[in-house]
Amino acid sequence: MIDIKSMNVPELTEFVTQNGFPKYRAAQISGWLAKGVTDFDEMRNIPSDLKTFLTARCYISVATIEKKLESRYDKTVKYLFAFNDGERVEAVVMSYRHGRSICISTQVGCKMGCTFCATGQSGFSRNLTASEMLAQIEAAQKDLNIRISNIVLMGMGEPLDNFDNVIKFIGLVSSEGGINIGARHITLSTCGLVPKIYELSSKKLQINLAVSLHAPNDEIRRKTMPVANVYPMDALLKACRDYFSATGRRVTFEYSMISGVNDSDDNARELAQKLSGMGCHVNLIPVNTVEGTGYKKSDIKRQKSFVNILAEKNITATVRRTLGSDINASCGQLRRKHSNEGGK
């Protein structure tokens, strides 16, 4: 069966014409898919013979809401979505003054094995298709009756480990005939797959790149992020500098603050030295409490001291506001809990 929602208009045009249907039908089908239809029978201006053909040859990816949690404090909504094959991922919708952002998943599980992350503890099942990424956004918009304005690829999985599908997704979601969220409103987060950062650079996309650094040196980084054993920090930071040179887009570094692990004043000074002259931004994140890790978030005093030291060294940094704390809004925990309670 063909994943029709992952096709762009040129691909869809070639598909329908090669099978004997008029070229203009592709735009009609694409329009219906962009509206989030889940069944070919919902395409009202499509003739019955084409509907029959599509039903026999193609499928439409759907993200079904398996579970939904709503924060009592800040309107954050967390979803556990199920796909056509029964696999499940998480997505989170967050409300800000500038609009609503959705953090979506790009893989079912993750291979990267970061020790502070709940997703990696559940293992890896498969990559998501471009259409399954789109389906998460469509399902959330329909359920909440809202318009999503920003997308963050920071949910379950490593986006650059699913490179081709992610690039296809970005093209589809930013197209005028689709959901039409511009590239500058899309942030891709990576743990630091250096060759893929260079490949992303070559695409010259205007998306925002966020790199999960989480340590000021290789010694600490290797203890928390296995990827650091393959790509040392110096190579990663060079790739980030080259990304900025190629795209003109400032890089953001994500830094989970873990009490007693990477949050000392010396850690802050070392981090500032490593990032000097990059014109980057550091997003400090008090680490989420994940069962089994033993990690605790840095206290407020440590967070403020870290920010101040970075500022003294001309490194801009902010502490990320915690959203959805009462619903464990960080990705991976809801799916893991569901599985432990007997879900697949």
Side-chain angles (χ1 to χ4, degrees), residues 250-254 275 279-284 315-319:
R250 183 178 72 165
V251 176
T252 295
F253 290 101
E254 306 283 341
L275 303 183
C280 61
H281 179 81
V282 178
N283 192 11
L284 298 171
I315 305 293
T316 62
T318 52
V319 177

Side-chain angles (χ1 to χ4, degrees), residues 159-215:
L160 294 186
D161 189 44
N162 186 16
F163 190 88
D164 291 342
N165 285 323
V166 165
I167 295 300
K168 172 61 77 70
F169 161 76
I170 292 171
L172 290 170
V173 79
S174 60
S175 66
E176 291 185 5
I179 296 177
N180 196 18
I181 297 175
R184 289 175 180 264
H185 296 277
I186 300 172
T187 298
L188 184 152
S189 175
T190 176
C191 68
L193 302 184
V194 170
K196 291 299 182 181
I197 292 175
Y198 281 107
E199 192 172 350
L200 183 64
S201 298
S202 70
K203 300 291 184 182
K204 299 290 195 299
L205 302 174
Q206 289 297 293
I207 63 172
N208 305 298
L209 179 65
V211 175
S212 296
L213 201 58
H214 306 312

Side-chain angles (χ1 to χ4, degrees), residues 100-203:
R100 293 181 177 89
S101 296
I102 185 168
C103 178
I104 66 168
S105 296
T106 55
Q107 295 179 311
V108 182
C110 186
K111 304 173 189 174
M112 299 299 113
C114 299
T115 59
F116 48 79
C117 178
T119 298
Q121 295 182 19
S122 301
F124 173 80
S125 295
R126 66 171 176 84
N127 288 327
L128 295 189
T129 62
S131 63
E132 288 170 330
M133 296 175 218
L134 288 170
Q136 295 172 65
I137 301 170
E138 292 168 349
Q141 288 191 144
K142 182 177 180 181
D143 178 60
L144 298 174
N145 191 28
I146 60 169
R147 162 76 177 171
I148 297 291
S149 56
N150 295 274
I151 303 168
V152 184
L153 304 179
M154 201 182 289
M156 294 170 58
E158 162 56 55
L160 294 186
D161 189 44
N162 186 16
F163 190 88
D164 291 342
N165 285 323
V166 165
I167 295 300
K168 172 61 77 70
F169 161 76
I170 292 171
L172 290 170
V173 79
S174 60
S175 66
E176 291 185 5
I179 296 177
N180 196 18
I181 297 175
R184 289 175 180 264
H185 296 277
I186 300 172
T187 298
L188 184 152
S189 175
T190 176
C191 68
L193 302 184
V194 170
K196 291 299 182 181
I197 292 175
Y198 281 107
E199 192 172 350
L200 183 64
S201 298
S202 70
K203 300 291 184 182

Side-chain angles (χ1 to χ4, degrees), residues 268-269 272-273 275-277 307-316:
R269 294 186 189 99
Q273 184 179 19
L275 303 183
S276 178
V307 169
N308 290 338
I309 290 171
L310 292 179
E312 289 170 4
K313 304 295 184 180
N314 297 314
I315 305 293
T316 62

